């Protein structure tokens, strides 16, 4: 799936946050509260996919990018990473690119592909794995899959 930005959010149960250190264009760790009203947070809490063809018209869009120079996505898809009924993380992709840099909505094929990817990522993550080992496996898999 070719897109402008992709993020793998991981659930931190101790702090009740989503965190990532792997997102295209990100050079530091980023954390957001699970109950912040973010689309990724909603996906984690509800364990449901969100495919949003027009982000700014979505009722859950928080509009975190308040400065005019900040980038605002047009389309987005969020897929929960689940294992044994537990949310481990969220795959979030923004602004699918088609053709000559044209932003289009994510389609059913993208949904299927990302659900399969989420299943594979869940295999790398586990309750009894060392956190650093799990992070390396997941982040390495995402980077390889997404071409980063």
């Amino acid at each position: 799936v070719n897109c402008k930005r992709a993020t793998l959010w991981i659930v931190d149960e101790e702090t009740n946050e989503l965190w990532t250190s792997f997102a295209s264009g990100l050079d530091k760790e980023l954390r957001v509260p699970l109950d912040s009203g973010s689309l990724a947070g909603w996906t984690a809490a509800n364990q449901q996919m969100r495919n949003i063809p027009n982000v700014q018209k979505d009722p859950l869009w928080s509009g975190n990018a308040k400065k005019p120079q900040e980038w605002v996505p047009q389309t987005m898809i969020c897929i929960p990473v689940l294992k044994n009924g537990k949310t481990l993380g969220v795959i979030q992709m923004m602004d699918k690119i088609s053709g000559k840099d044209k932003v289009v909505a994510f389609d059913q094929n993208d949904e299927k592909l990302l659900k399969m990817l989420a299943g594979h990522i869940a295999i790398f993550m586990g309750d009894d794995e060392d956190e650093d080992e799990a992070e390396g496996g997941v982040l390495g898999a995402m980077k390889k899959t997404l071409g980063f």
Side-chain angles (χ1 to χ4, degrees):
V1 178
N2 188 12
C3 64
K4 287 188 179 179
R5 292 198 182 171
T7 307
L8 176 62
W9 294 97
I10 306 296
V11 174
D12 185 336
E13 291 179 341
E14 290 180 18
T15 63
N16 203 34
E17 295 175 314
L18 290 172
W19 70 270
T20 188
S21 61
F22 171 62
S24 49
L26 183 66
D27 58 359
K28 62 179 179 173
E29 184 176 283
L30 181 62
R31 290 183 168 267
V32 295
L34 271 171
D35 59 0
S36 67
S38 72
L39 292 162
W42 184 94
T43 299
N46 292 280
Q47 297 186 336
Q48 295 178 20
M49 176 195 70
R50 297 270 308 171
N51 187 348
I52 306 153
N54 188 330
V55 172
Q56 293 182 51
K57 289 186 179 180
D58 189 276
L60 294 177
W61 171 245
S62 63
N64 290 333
K66 293 181 170 69
K67 297 177 185 173
Q69 72 272 16
E70 288 186 30
W71 175 77
V72 177
Q74 296 173 45
T75 65
M76 184 184 304
I77 190 168
C78 296
I79 305 284
V81 177
L82 306 171
K83 186 172 188 178
N84 300 325
K86 181 177 172 183
T87 304
L88 303 177
V90 174
I91 299 169
Q92 182 179 51
M93 296 185 139
M94 296 177 244
D95 286 352
K96 178 181 175 179
I97 303 297
S98 178
K100 296 183 179 180
D101 291 332
K102 179 181 176 187
V103 175
V104 297
F106 293 90
D107 60 29
Q108 289 181 344
N109 289 331
D110 300 320
E111 291 175 7
K112 289 177 187 175
L113 176 70
L114 293 172
K115 284 178 183 178
M116 287 188 332
L117 178 60
H120 289 289
I121 290 171
I123 292 169
F124 289 102
M125 302 175 76
D127 298 330
D128 49 67
E129 292 179 323
D130 177 66
E131 185 176 310
D132 291 333
E133 185 179 313
E135 177 185 328
V138 172
L139 296 179
M142 281 293 288
K143 287 179 180 180
K144 184 174 182 178
T145 302
L146 298 174
F148 291 105

